[in-house]
């Protein structure tokens, strides 16, 4: 039997690498594309021995050339943490726009199914809570986060245009805050930031008063939801995330307890346009995909803390 081939852009990133692993586990051949701007070979080096795995270092905002048949194109390339997209605003806009265009072009040429990694950031600082897929969002296009939010909104529009105009078979997943092994130690996101600080015996940097909320999904659950969406027939966007919501201050307390280090909490200024609340409405994923997250926060965090403990002090940017 000929094995299905999948192309994963951003395959050396946090989510991309877990996705490559999972697709290989499903019996597919995987072509992993990454320019290693925020991705890392360390995330995929254990896959190099796998006969169905190929890595190509390429910038997907340029032309993407993949010889042979392709069944799936999964577009996961993008800087994804607030400090990354503040430092890499043009690359973020380019990969969301030009990169999405190229990845869709590849899917069209190959007759492949396309899946876009979109984000809860399309809802901006939401005025509807929790956020259902029908909500159009509250995004500041000219604020510092706009480079990511608008690139992903454009990417969704481009995906739907290829679907409607070219008949490409498309899927859009809106990914909410996800955590787990292989996040970068210094990517600035709250999970690696707090864990790194707690393990180093440093104060936890809570931005603002810490009353803003987030809902954290363990990576295995997130990937499971994405795979179910990939194999479903739903062409509208689908939220995949964990609806268990908490304040950032409560989250800091959980990390202190699990890391076993009662470090201080230090307040820092709240970043511009930091969303005040975030919680996915996952009714659609529950009913249409039969999916719901299963890993309790504390279990997922214990596994993540273990990863960072083992990775220190080697874990770089
Ligand atoms: N945050 C924080 N301290 C940090 C990093 C982040 O208090 O060291 C807050 C941040 O202001 C936001 C939340 O934690 O309200 C989640 O931030 P993250 O960067 O993980 O991603 P976001 O959900 O904002 O995209």
């Amino acid at each position: 039997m000929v094995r299905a081939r999948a192309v994963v852009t951003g395959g050396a990133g946090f989510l991309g690498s877990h996705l490559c692993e999972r697709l290989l586990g499903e019996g597919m051949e995987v072509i992993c594309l990454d320019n290693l701007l925020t991705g890392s070979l360390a995330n995929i080096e254990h896959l190099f021995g796998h006969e169905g795995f190929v890595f190509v270092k390429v910038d997907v905002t340029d032309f993407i050339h993949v010889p042979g048949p392709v069944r799936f194109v999964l577009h996961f390339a993008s800087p994804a943490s607030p400090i990354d997209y503040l430092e890499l605003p043009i690359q973020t806009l380019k990969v969301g726009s030009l990169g999405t265009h190229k990845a869709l072009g590849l899917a069209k040429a190959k007759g492949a199914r396309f899946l876009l990694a979109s984000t809860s950031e399309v809802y901006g600082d939401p005025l509807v809570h929790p956020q259902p897929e029908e909500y159009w969002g509250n995004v500041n296009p000219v604020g510092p986060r706009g480079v990511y939010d608008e690139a992903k909104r454009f990417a969704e529009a481009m995906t739907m245009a290829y679907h409607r105009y070219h008949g490409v078979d498309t899927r859009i997943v809106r990914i909410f805050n996800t955590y787990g092994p292989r996040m970068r130690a210094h990517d600035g996101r709250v999970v690696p930031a707090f864990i790194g600080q707690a393990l180093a015996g440093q104060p936890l940097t809570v931005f603002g008063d810490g009353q803003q909320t987030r809902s954290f999904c363990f990576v295995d659950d997130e990937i499971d939801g994405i795979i179910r969406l990939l194999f479903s027939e739903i062409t509208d966007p689908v939220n995949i995330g964990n609806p268990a919501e908490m304040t950032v201050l409560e989250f800091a307390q959980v990390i202190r307890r699990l890391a076993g280090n009662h470090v201080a909490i230090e307040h820092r200024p709240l970043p511009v346009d930091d969303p005040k609340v975030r919680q996915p409405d996952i009714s659609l994923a529950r009913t249409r995909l039969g999916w719901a997250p299963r890993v309790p926060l504390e279990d997922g965090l214990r596994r993540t803390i273990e990863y960072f403990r083992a990775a220190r002090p080697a874990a770089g940017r």
Side-chain angles (χ1 to χ4, degrees):
M1 199 189 73
V2 185
R3 287 197 293 181
R5 298 171 86 219
V7 171
V8 180
T9 77
F14 164 50
L15 286 180
S17 64
H18 284 278
L19 193 59
C20 288
E21 209 168 279
R22 178 67 187 265
L23 294 169
L24 288 167
E26 299 275 331
M28 293 190 206
E29 275 181 39
V30 174
I31 300 158
C32 166
L33 310 180
D34 207 299
N35 66 355
L36 302 179
L37 188 61
T38 58
S40 162
L41 287 180
N43 289 338
I44 50 168
E45 61 192 2
H46 63 293
L47 302 178
F48 278 103
H50 205 293
E51 41 118 14
F53 182 75
V54 176
F55 168 72
V56 184
K57 184 170 183 291
V58 64
D59 184 337
V60 298
T61 62
D62 299 329
F63 188 74
I64 306 175
H65 176 67
V66 176
V70 173
R71 182 88 57 87
F72 301 103
V73 176
L74 300 101
H75 184 39
F76 277 67
S78 179
S81 91
I83 61 166
D84 284 343
Y85 45 81
L86 294 187
E87 280 173 16
L88 305 165
I90 314 284
Q91 288 94 330
T92 303
L93 282 159
K94 282 176 72 177
V95 76
S97 54
L98 306 179
T100 303
H101 184 219
K102 298 293 181 290
L104 278 162
L106 176 70
K108 175 169 160 267
K110 302 288 182 181
R113 180 171 292 183
F114 176 86
L115 184 141
L116 172 70
S118 186
T119 168
S120 55
E121 285 280 329
V122 301
Y123 303 120
D125 189 4
L127 304 176
V128 171
H129 191 69
Q131 294 79 55
E133 288 86 351
E134 301 76 50
Y135 178 48
W136 292 351
N138 177 40
V139 170
N140 174 3
V142 294
R145 294 176 90 104
V147 297
Y148 184 66
D149 303 9
E150 296 295 9
K152 289 291 188 182
R153 289 168 68 96
F154 175 92
E156 288 197 5
M158 186 65 124
T159 301
M160 291 312 293
Y162 266 66
H163 175 63
R164 294 191 181 113
Y165 188 75
H166 288 308
V168 175
D169 189 20
T170 57
R171 307 286 179 271
I172 298 174
V173 57
R174 291 189 180 145
I175 299 169
F176 283 65
N177 293 68
T178 301
Y179 69 95
R182 299 193 204 137
M183 293 188 95
R184 276 174 22 251
H186 302 292
D187 84 354
R189 282 189 276 194
V190 69
V191 176
F194 284 0
I195 292 177
Q197 290 159 352
L199 293 181
Q202 294 162 355
L204 305 191
T205 52
V206 169
F207 297 164
D209 59 8
Q211 292 308 307
Q212 69 275 30
T213 67
R214 292 295 185 273
S215 315
F216 299 99
C217 187
F218 189 60
V219 62
D220 291 1
D221 281 334
E222 187 68 40
I223 296 293
D224 188 45
I226 291 168
I227 294 291
R228 281 179 194 234
L229 175 62
L230 179 68
F231 292 137
S232 80
E233 295 307 317
I234 310 176
T235 54
D236 288 328
V238 180
N239 291 337
I240 298 287
N242 192 323
E245 183 184 7
M246 59 172 51
T247 67
V248 166
L249 199 55
E250 284 165 346
F251 185 66
Q253 281 146 8
V254 174
I255 295 287
R256 274 204 304 211
R257 181 160 50 76
L258 295 182
N261 209 350
H262 199 81
V263 290
I265 285 180
E266 225 172 69
H267 291 270
R268 299 272 173 86
L270 192 65
V272 177
D273 295 335
D274 197 284
K276 286 180 265 312
V277 289
R278 183 180 289 155
Q279 186 203 132
D281 178 334
I282 58 164
S283 314
L284 187 62
R286 276 188 205 280
T287 53
R288 301 277 308 275
L289 302 177
W291 176 86
R294 293 205 293 224
V295 181
L297 182 69
E298 300 210 352
D299 294 359
L301 283 176
R302 279 201 189 89
R303 286 158 70 179
T304 310
I305 289 169
E306 246 165 63
Y307 168 81
F308 280 108
R309 244 191 245 283
R312 288 182 74 236
R317 278 208 52 142

